[in-house]
């Protein structure tokens, strides 16, 4: 079992930045790929970014490429999402998730491939 807790959300103006953090419990954190998803009002949950268990491979949805950066610190059992040049379209609840498979060397965008989820943190971007 892996427990995830997100933090760092808030209200910012367009063009601003936020860094989200996801703290995980469990000694096996470093064996799982991690992902960030988001869900806006009236929309389905969508993939944002992911990072491999080794911290080398990353994947981003097109709308955030060049603006967001995912990273992890396995020694601290924490994954981050640095969000720059935020846009109103980025407004959503952001969720951290852990891949259900250990030591996977390829990244997935499918929510069904992640079996541990945090409670979410709200990000609101005003225009």
């Amino acid at each position: 079992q892996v427990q995830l807790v997100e933090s760092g959300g808030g209200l910012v103006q367009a063009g601003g930045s936020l860094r989200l953090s996801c703290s995980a419990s469990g000694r096996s954190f470093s064996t799982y790929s991690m992902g960030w998803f988001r869900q806006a009002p009236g929309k389905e949950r969508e993939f944002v970014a992911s990072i491999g268990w080794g911290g080398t491979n990353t994947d981003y949805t097109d709308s955030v490429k060049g603006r967001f950066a995912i990273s992890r610190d396995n020694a601290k059992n924490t994954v981050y999402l640095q969000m720059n040049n935020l846009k109103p379209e980025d407004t959503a609840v952001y969720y951290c998730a852990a891949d259900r498979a250990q030591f996977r060397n390829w990244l997935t965008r499918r929510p069904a491939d992640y079996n541990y989820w945090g409670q979410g943190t709200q990000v609101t971007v005003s225009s």
Side-chain angles (χ1 to χ4, degrees):
Q1 289 283 333
V2 177
Q3 293 181 315
L4 308 173
V5 179
E6 302 97 333
S7 63
L11 193 158
V12 298
Q13 292 186 330
S17 299
L18 283 175
R19 188 183 72 163
L20 305 184
S21 297
C22 174
S23 297
S25 65
R27 75 180 96 93
S28 61
F29 171 78
S30 63
T31 69
Y32 295 92
S33 294
M34 301 292 294
W36 284 97
F37 293 77
R38 65 187 180 187
Q39 188 165 21
K43 303 289 185 178
E44 293 187 352
R45 188 167 300 186
E46 67 169 341
F47 168 81
V48 176
S50 62
I51 185 167
W53 63 269
T56 300
N57 297 320
T58 58
D59 186 29
Y60 300 91
T61 191
D62 287 344
S63 64
V64 308
K65 287 181 178 177
R67 299 189 297 120
F68 290 11
I70 187 171
S71 62
R72 68 190 297 164
D73 186 338
N74 287 343
K76 296 182 178 180
N77 278 194
T78 302
V79 62
Y80 305 95
L81 185 67
Q82 178 66 47
M83 306 184 293
N84 298 322
N85 191 207
L86 284 161
K87 303 177 180 180
E89 310 91 85
D90 296 318
T91 295
V93 175
Y94 283 70
Y95 298 90
C96 177
D99 197 317
R100 64 172 60 250
Q102 292 179 283
F103 302 112
R104 180 138 63 187
N105 291 317
W106 50 273
L107 300 174
T108 176
R109 297 184 175 191
R110 298 174 62 247
D113 288 332
Y114 296 81
N115 67 336
Y116 297 107
W117 296 83
Q119 84 289 350
T121 185
Q122 177 71 49
V123 172
T124 302
V125 184
S126 61
S127 60

